[in-house]
Amino acid sequence: MSAAITEQQTSAGRVVNSSKQDVDAPLRKKFGLKWDEYRQKWAAASLMEYRPEFPLFVRIETKFRCNLHCKMCIHSRPELERGYSYEGEMKFDTFCRLIDECAEHGCPSVGMNHANEPLLDKDLIERINYVSNSGIMDIHMNTNAMLLTAEMSRRLLDTGLTRLCFSLDALTKETYKKIRVDADYDLVMSHIDTFLELREQRRQDLPVTRVSLVLQEDNEHEVDAFREYWVDKVEYVAIQRFVPVSPFENDEEDELARAYKSAPIQGTQRCSYAWESVFIHGDGLVLPCAAHRARKIAVGNIHKNSIHEIWNSSIMEELRTRHKEGNVTGLRLCPTCIR
């Protein structure tokens, strides 16, 4: 008898994960009690009952660049991209400095990208290895898999990467072409299959794999079939709430800025990002959340202050207090995203 699908809402309130297995099992096997302690802290922080002295998750985008122009993404909106993009990229020594600080403070988890495609980074493998060698446990990466050749798959499998997330947004080729502009459906599916086969051949438990779908009008009819198809192939499947990219000038009055009405989690959500994580861009700007427009509400810059100083700043404390109280009225961005 096939295992039942279990569902779990993520702490940020915008994603439902589906799986048929204990996703934490291979990570618990590798890291033991240290892993359980981390997940217990994360669970408490997501409920806003535990305020860590340093973020539990630091996501780093080294350069604003992607090889696709997916219709729901900032990379498909040149008229808005200027307000999000930045010049240059994060130097390797700057990246190492940030990782050293994370390791010093016992940060358990680091992400290798934000709204960029990490496989475009020529230093990616070296960066991942630096994170792994620092003692940080959980190393995330999201990719559209266009550049995930067999050779790149082998190189990634040789690193300490613990989670690899594939962004797909569709089950069928027809729907995929509508959403993931400039992508090759057959190539991507082949790349994912090859990665999974190579991991199995090596008898590796890690990295844990995930596929994701950002819920939109073009793909909502495929959600159930998407979940059923992938849940036996990867460790878990994510269905995400869609928060559109739009101008910021009208703030809460801008209907185009609001979360798509159909979502895996209905109603107003509580956002715990400020209790769990920070997002750092290649130019040094530090953001409190994953929203496309979060550069407009940046909380600091790593070229001026340490991650620890920014995390413990008054602006971050206000965000935590307001979200815990459920009083986000007047905050920029937050009311449009979590409703």
Side-chain angles (χ1 to χ4, degrees):
M1 181 180 293
S2 177
I5 297 176
T6 60
E7 293 188 345
Q8 181 180 29
Q9 177 180 329
T10 66
S11 51
R14 297 195 309 183
V15 182
V16 169
N17 289 325
S18 301
S19 64
K20 284 189 174 182
Q21 55 192 288
D22 180 1
V23 175
D24 282 341
L27 295 151
R28 189 179 296 114
K29 177 183 177 181
K30 180 173 182 178
F31 299 110
L33 290 177
K34 188 178 177 182
W35 180 262
D36 287 331
E37 291 170 0
Y38 158 45
R39 298 315 296 171
Q40 288 166 9
K41 288 179 179 179
W42 185 276
S46 71
L47 295 173
M48 306 181 198
E49 295 173 352
Y50 169 65
R51 196 289 218 180
E53 287 300 308
F54 194 87
L56 298 173
F57 180 41
V58 175
R59 188 185 289 271
I60 301 175
E61 175 183 288
T62 58
K63 187 175 184 177
F64 181 74
R65 187 183 175 195
C66 188
N67 53 337
L68 302 185
H69 298 87
C70 303
K71 64 180 296 185
M72 69 288 187
C73 180
I74 191 70
H75 290 284
S76 71
R77 301 285 296 275
E79 75 278 16
L80 302 177
E81 199 174 43
R82 187 178 305 164
Y84 181 91
S85 65
Y86 49 87
E87 296 296 324
E89 61 186 288
M90 183 177 290
K91 294 180 179 179
F92 189 77
D93 59 351
T94 300
F95 177 86
C96 293
R97 172 172 64 83
L98 297 178
I99 297 305
D100 289 346
E101 184 184 357
C102 290
E104 178 186 353
H105 288 277
C107 176
S109 184
V110 164
M112 300 306 300
N113 67 304
H114 181 199
N116 62 318
E117 172 49 54
L119 294 181
L120 291 168
D121 184 347
K122 63 180 177 22
D123 296 324
L124 176 65
I125 299 299
E126 192 175 358
R127 292 185 196 270
I128 296 174
N129 285 331
Y130 192 89
V131 180
S132 180
N133 291 335
S134 75
I136 292 170
M137 289 187 292
D138 200 14
I139 308 173
H140 291 230
M141 193 181 88
N142 290 52
T143 179
N144 57 46
M146 278 287 289
L147 302 175
L148 189 66
T149 61
E151 176 58 26
M152 178 55 71
S153 291
R154 293 186 186 96
R155 295 181 70 194
L156 287 172
L157 286 165
D158 286 336
T159 70
L161 190 70
T162 57
R163 296 180 194 256
L164 183 58
C165 307
F166 305 114
S167 301
L168 289 180
D169 300 315
L171 178 61
T172 65
K173 189 172 185 177
E174 179 183 14
T175 301
Y176 185 86
K177 289 175 65 176
K178 291 179 181 178
I179 297 173
R180 302 197 70 80
V181 181
D182 297 331
D184 183 323
Y185 175 85
D186 294 325
L187 181 65
V188 165
M189 295 293 278
S190 173
H191 282 171
I192 296 174
D193 285 343
T194 297
F195 182 88
L196 296 174
E197 289 168 4
L198 287 170
R199 189 186 62 165
E200 182 176 4
Q201 289 171 12
R202 291 175 172 224
R203 300 190 179 189
Q204 290 184 213
D205 295 325
L206 298 174
V208 168
T209 55
R210 184 194 82 173
V211 296
S212 65
L213 178 149
V214 177
L215 190 58
Q216 303 162 60
E217 291 177 337
D218 285 331
N219 63 18
E220 60 182 340
H221 66 288
E222 292 188 359
V223 170
D224 291 340
F226 180 88
R227 183 188 293 111
E228 290 289 341
Y229 177 83
W230 283 108
V231 77
D232 288 317
K233 294 178 176 291
V234 296
E235 277 68 43
Y236 61 121
V237 179
I239 308 300
Q240 304 178 0
R241 175 186 287 262
F242 173 34
V243 181
V245 181
S246 72
F248 214 117
E249 286 72 20
N250 297 323
D251 288 333
E252 295 182 48
E253 300 304 316
D254 182 4
E255 279 299 316
L256 293 175
R258 296 183 180 276
Y260 177 49
K261 60 182 176 61
S262 295
I265 308 156
Q266 297 294 338
T268 301
Q269 305 302 316
R270 297 179 71 200
C271 181
S272 54
Y273 271 132
W275 294 73
E276 302 158 348
S277 56
V278 292
F279 296 72
I280 304 174
H281 281 184
D283 61 348
L285 214 58
V286 180
L287 319 183
C289 71
H292 277 304
R293 297 175 297 151
R295 282 180 66 85
K296 299 289 187 178
I297 57 169
V299 293
N301 192 303
I302 53 94
H303 296 303
K304 297 179 180 179
N305 297 98
S306 67
I307 300 172
H308 184 267
E309 288 170 339
I310 295 168
W311 178 253
N312 291 285
S313 65
S314 59
I315 188 171
M316 286 295 292
E317 283 300 310
E318 181 184 6
L319 280 173
R320 292 183 191 107
T321 299
R322 295 285 294 277
H323 278 276
K324 185 171 185 177
E325 293 174 348
N327 176 24
V328 296
T329 302
L331 292 178
R332 297 191 79 189
L333 179 61
C334 299
T336 69
C337 185
I338 64 174
R339 77 165 186 176

